[in-house]
Amino acid sequence: PASDSGASKSAAAANPGDPAPGIYDPCPPRGAPCRIMPLGDSITAGAGSTMNGSYRVDLFRRALRNHQSITFVGSVSGGPPAVDAMAFPPNHEGHSGYTIDDGGGRPGIAPLVVAALEKYRPHVVTLMIGTNDVDIRLDPPNAPRRLGALIDAIQLGAPEALVVLAQIVPTTSEAEDAAVVAYNAAMPALVEARARAGKHIVLVDMHAAFKKNPNFAVDYMTDNLHPSDAGYAVMGGVWYAALGPLFR
């Protein structure tokens, strides 16, 4: 992922699981869970996954297996009752059918952000949004501008949180995926500009993770837009690669 130019709270990785020097560390000391707000649309909510667990199940499982403590926060609930015999934290801010901001007859997640950040005070925001903007062709050239405004609102509302922005997963249609590729291509510049300004933000690439498998449409997807459990597990691995060094 792109590096975060914000100052690190930790001078050195003194214990296993502590972040390496130079990585912005938003999570609390060992003994308290790192609060993660999964923010996005139906993919964050878990459409197509078992019990609407989304990538949250695999991310939680990976943290458990490494004896790390995390929890998910938000106003919506979904997922299995337990993962690997541990109670699963079901909360999130995934809203099915939502776009980046209101428009095209769809509600957007942007108007929800300020209140959610104020109420749940996440240490980390995992943000993946824009699939519906691309799918309904909601002014694609300005989708990156809307995304940038959303990121700014998140960072204004939670300046000490780390935003992990994801380039969105591919669609199963090559023609439609061209619009996804164009949208994703604008994200590195959005992230770099904010990182250079001292904001805490990194970028992960879900699109490339899926496309590594030439049979992803069968192996990772349940329909044109939504991953299967196997696809969500791939996503969980991508999130964990970025965040695992910060968990305790």
Side-chain angles (χ1 to χ4, degrees):
S3 64
D4 175 358
S5 67
S8 171
K9 293 183 192 173
S10 62
N15 300 299
D18 285 348
I23 298 178
Y24 176 68
D25 171 17
C27 295
R30 195 180 301 273
C34 192
R35 294 190 303 276
I36 302 167
M37 178 181 287
L39 179 63
D41 50 35
S42 59
I43 296 176
T44 298
S49 65
T50 302
M51 302 184 74
N52 293 323
S54 186
Y55 63 79
R56 294 171 282 112
V57 169
D58 189 77
L59 179 55
F60 184 71
R61 177 178 284 122
R62 288 171 183 267
L64 276 182
R65 290 179 176 176
N66 286 288
H67 310 289
Q68 297 165 318
S69 181
I70 68 171
T71 193
F72 301 118
V73 297
S75 62
V76 190
S77 181
V83 171
D84 294 348
M86 180 68 70
F88 177 70
N91 300 106
H92 60 88
E93 283 292 336
H95 299 273
S96 293
Y98 277 50
T99 51
I100 299 167
D101 204 349
D102 294 347
R106 299 282 189 103
I109 63 169
L112 308 177
V113 162
V114 172
L117 294 172
E118 192 173 283
K119 182 172 183 178
Y120 299 109
R121 299 178 295 109
H123 299 111
V124 174
V125 177
T126 52
L127 175 63
M128 192 173 110
I129 189 67
T131 294
N132 292 315
D133 297 71
V134 172
D135 185 50
I136 66 173
R137 301 296 191 268
L138 179 58
D139 188 18
N142 281 311
R145 179 191 58 76
R146 296 194 300 274
L147 177 62
L150 173 62
I151 294 168
D152 291 341
I154 294 168
Q155 295 182 318
L156 182 63
E160 297 303 315
L162 174 65
V163 177
V164 188
L165 174 66
Q167 291 170 301
I168 63 177
V169 298
T171 72
T172 59
S173 162
E174 287 190 17
E176 292 181 8
D177 198 49
V180 172
V181 170
Y183 173 64
N184 283 341
M187 293 190 196
L190 294 177
V191 169
E192 289 297 335
R194 286 156 179 81
R196 284 196 303 270
K199 305 297 184 182
H200 310 308
I201 184 168
V202 295
L203 182 69
V204 298
D205 192 345
M206 298 298 174
H207 193 276
F210 275 46
K211 284 284 194 169
K212 282 180 184 176
N213 179 353
N215 204 35
F216 81 91
V218 173
D219 293 345
Y220 296 161
M221 304 294 283
T222 59
D223 59 25
N224 188 43
L225 301 177
H226 300 99
S228 62
D229 283 342
Y232 282 118
V234 171
M235 293 179 67
V238 174
W239 291 120
Y240 188 80
L243 290 169
L246 306 179
F247 300 155
R248 296 174 176 80

